[in-house]
């Protein structure tokens, strides 16, 4: 199968014999994109190839080196952080969902029941760790230096009345740590992939507010490909009421479309 390259797609979309788009996703639960895949093939003769990754950083570098054409599943704040760190050009071309972060536990049913010196698993990448710390603050477990905005670290905790102990793990390992820690801050899609329903199983779920926008998931392309007509067609087929229904069924209402 020939990859739809950046130059070919940008210069001659209509005449290109091969309309294949390699889309990077994180996790195995992708019924929304599988639905779009079928629709694009049937109605536009576009081959959407879904490429699965197990971590959040690799889709960014894969897009940059041309291994894939688009990626989804990442929050904009995380992508921007890795872009700045690596000098990459991943660019948002559309928003998809807001996946609220949750606090999960196999040991307690309410955050108020957390004991002193409890162990807490946090995602170890900067943006997800910051988001998790903000979630713990929203749950009244810690207080953070407000001057740090959306990017606090554990060094910015100004009050920790329960003397919580933090363990930093890869984001996709947080849900697997529940046997070893008291609570874990878990990304929505990681929880869903593990068979959890965040709206039912989380003991505390991230509130949705205007401040949530940095955590919207994106569809991203390389900067010089952001106006590619085929990629915009992919966006159009995703941002539909039918896909909203698929998302709702797939996540039991735990994922919120934001278009």
């Amino acid at each position: 199968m020939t990859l739809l390259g950046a130059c070919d797609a940008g210069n001659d979309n209509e005449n290109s014999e091969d309309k294949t788009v390699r889309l990077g996703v994180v996790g195995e639960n992708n019924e929304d994109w599988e639905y779009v895949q079928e629709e694009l093939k049937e109605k536009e003769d576009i081959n959407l190839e879904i490429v699965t990754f197990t971590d959040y950083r690799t889709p960014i570098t894969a897009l940059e080196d041309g291994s894939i054409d688009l990626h989804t599943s990442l929050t904009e704040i995380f992508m921007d952080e890795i872009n700045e760190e690596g000098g990459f050009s991943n660019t948002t071309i559309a928003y998809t969902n807001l996946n609220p972060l949750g606090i999960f536990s196999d040991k307690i049913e309410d955050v108020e029941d957390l004991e002193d010196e409890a162990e807490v698993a946090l995602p170890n990448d900067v943006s997800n760790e910051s988001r998790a710390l903000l979630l713990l603050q929203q749950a009244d477990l810690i207080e953070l230096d407000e001057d740090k905005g959306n990017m606090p670290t554990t060094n910015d905790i100004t009050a920790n009345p329960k003397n919580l102990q933090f363990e930093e793990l890869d984001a996709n390992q947080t849900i697997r740590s529940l046997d070893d820690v008291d609570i874990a801050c878990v990304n929505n899609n990681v929880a869903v992939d593990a068979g959890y329903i965040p709206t039912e199983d989380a003991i505390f779920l991230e509130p949705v507010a205007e401040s949530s926008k940095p955590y919207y998931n994106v569809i991203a392309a390389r900067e010089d490909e952001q106006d590619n007509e085929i990629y915009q067609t992919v966006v159009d087929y995703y941002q539909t009421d039918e896909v909203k229904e698929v998302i709702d069924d797939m996540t039991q209402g735990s994922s919120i479309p934001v278009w």
Side-chain angles (χ1 to χ4, degrees):
M1 180 178 291
T2 304
L3 182 64
L4 180 65
C7 294
D8 291 340
N11 294 336
D12 195 16
N13 285 342
E14 294 182 359
N15 296 326
S16 175
E17 292 183 0
D18 179 18
K19 295 195 293 185
T20 296
V21 179
R22 288 170 58 88
L23 173 76
V25 300
V26 177
E28 301 294 336
N29 200 29
N30 298 296
E31 287 94 336
D32 50 347
W33 282 109
E34 290 165 2
Y35 172 83
V36 172
Q37 183 182 51
E38 294 178 1
E39 290 287 293
L40 285 169
K41 182 59 179 176
E42 177 183 345
K43 298 177 180 177
E44 303 289 344
D45 196 29
I46 293 174
N47 300 307
L48 185 68
E49 183 177 344
I50 299 173
V51 182
T52 304
F53 295 93
T54 58
D55 70 283
Y56 292 107
R57 184 187 182 99
T58 306
I60 295 175
T61 57
L63 179 60
E64 196 71 18
D65 68 22
S67 300
I68 58 175
D69 302 300
L70 301 172
H71 66 64
T72 188
S73 306
L74 310 183
T75 62
E76 190 165 51
I77 190 172
F78 177 80
M79 183 180 73
D80 288 346
E81 172 205 334
I82 303 302
N83 272 342
E84 183 175 354
E85 177 186 308
F88 302 140
S89 67
N90 288 215
T91 301
T92 298
I93 63 171
Y95 294 105
T96 58
N97 314 315
L98 172 65
N99 294 325
L101 195 70
I103 298 175
F104 291 78
S105 178
D106 283 347
K107 299 178 174 65
I108 61 172
E109 296 183 357
D110 193 301
V111 291
E112 293 183 356
D113 298 330
L114 200 61
E115 296 183 355
D116 291 351
E117 299 189 357
E119 295 186 358
V120 181
L122 303 175
N124 64 5
D125 62 89
V126 175
S127 62
N128 277 315
E129 179 178 303
S130 296
R131 186 181 183 185
L133 291 170
L134 290 166
L135 180 66
L136 294 173
Q137 178 172 252
Q138 290 167 324
D140 295 325
L141 294 173
I142 61 172
E143 293 180 14
L144 298 163
D145 183 349
E146 62 182 18
D147 292 336
K148 299 301 179 178
N150 286 327
M151 299 298 286
T153 70
T154 53
N155 293 328
D156 301 314
I157 296 173
T158 57
N160 183 6
K162 291 182 179 289
N163 193 28
L164 301 179
Q165 306 298 305
F166 300 102
E167 182 176 355
E168 300 176 357
L169 304 169
D170 287 344
N172 61 359
Q173 296 295 321
T174 51
I175 197 71
R176 301 177 187 178
S177 71
L178 290 178
D179 286 342
D180 303 315
V181 300
D182 295 287
I183 60 173
C185 298
V186 183
N187 292 78
N188 185 293
N189 67 316
V190 172
V192 170
D193 280 350
Y196 290 81
I197 301 173
T199 49
E200 297 179 6
D201 297 326
I203 63 171
F204 189 86
L205 200 60
E206 184 179 39
V208 179
E210 181 63 29
S211 59
S212 303
K213 190 171 182 181
Y215 306 113
Y216 286 3
N217 283 357
V218 303
I219 302 172
R222 288 176 291 277
E223 185 175 15
D224 62 353
E225 288 280 289
Q226 59 185 308
D227 297 323
N228 180 293
E229 292 179 11
I230 292 179
Y231 300 170
Q232 292 299 328
T233 300
V234 173
V235 170
D236 291 342
Y237 272 75
Y238 188 87
Q239 294 183 333
T240 65
D241 289 341
E242 290 78 10
V243 171
K244 285 182 180 179
E245 291 181 8
V246 174
I247 292 169
D248 190 60
D249 290 342
M250 176 177 69
T251 68
Q252 300 292 305
S254 297
S255 182
I256 304 164
V258 289
W259 67 84

